[in-house]
Amino acid sequence: MTGIREGRPGDLPALRAIQEVVLAEPWQELLAVAVDGPPILLVATGSETEGGNDAAPNDAAATSNGPATPVGYALAVTDGDGDAGYLAELAVAPDSQGGGLGSALVDALVERLRDAGVGELRVTVREVDERAREFYRDRGFERRDRIADHYETGDGLLLVREIGGENE
């Protein structure tokens, strides 16, 4: 069973391992702070069923053997006004990719931000990363801006998804 829950300090070693393998330019300091808040840290745990994603945003993510091991996470911050959220990192362990965990994490994050009255979610991707651009496009994000030299290895694209927060 897969679940999505709040991150906690005990998740840090597993999340760092995912971060180091998946992300080209990980932000280790933000992840370390996020396990204690206030950045939003949602963690995907467990395993996918073959039929697709059975993630439940409010799942306690515990099995009869104890808390499930993190296999992915979404880390987001909000601006000072609470009008926009920024998805700083989204990572799923390589052996858990392709089963809908990334989508489930984005959906849970959007729900959380909407409930908090946030009106849009932003993310920056590498301009040359067609896979990431397609992933976010399929989840309702639209290109807003090109950011020269955003990454050590090139330019970025700012993508935005309106999420209908209370502040609209």
Side-chain angles (χ1 to χ4, degrees), residues 44-58:
T45 60
S47 61
E48 289 296 290
T49 60
E50 282 191 31
N53 178 14
D54 62 348
N58 297 319

Side-chain angles (χ1 to χ4, degrees), residues 42-118:
L42 299 179
V43 173
T45 60
S47 61
E48 289 296 290
T49 60
E50 282 191 31
N53 178 14
D54 62 348
N58 297 319
D59 186 359
T63 67
S64 59
N65 300 326
T69 303
V71 294
Y73 69 93
L75 193 163
V77 296
T78 56
D79 64 11
D81 298 329
D83 293 331
Y86 181 77
L87 178 55
E89 293 186 356
L90 175 67
V92 175
D95 59 351
S96 296
Q97 292 178 0
L101 286 177
S103 296
L105 284 162
V106 170
D107 290 346
L109 179 60
V110 165
E111 182 179 322
R112 170 121 179 233
L113 292 170
R114 182 183 294 124
D115 289 349
V118 175

Side-chain angles (χ1 to χ4, degrees), residues 82-146:
D83 293 331
Y86 181 77
L87 178 55
E89 293 186 356
L90 175 67
V92 175
D95 59 351
S96 296
Q97 292 178 0
L101 286 177
S103 296
L105 284 162
V106 170
D107 290 346
L109 179 60
V110 165
E111 182 179 322
R112 170 121 179 233
L113 292 170
R114 182 183 294 124
D115 289 349
V118 175
E120 67 180 23
L121 178 59
R122 301 172 183 168
V123 65
T124 305
V125 299
R126 289 179 183 350
E127 185 174 35
V128 298
D129 191 344
E130 179 59 36
R131 184 174 174 211
R133 291 186 354 240
E134 183 177 329
F135 173 84
Y136 289 109
R137 183 174 47 245
D138 290 349
R139 280 140 199 90
F141 288 80
E142 296 178 359
R143 179 179 168 164
R144 174 82 49 93
D145 198 5
R146 181 174 178 271

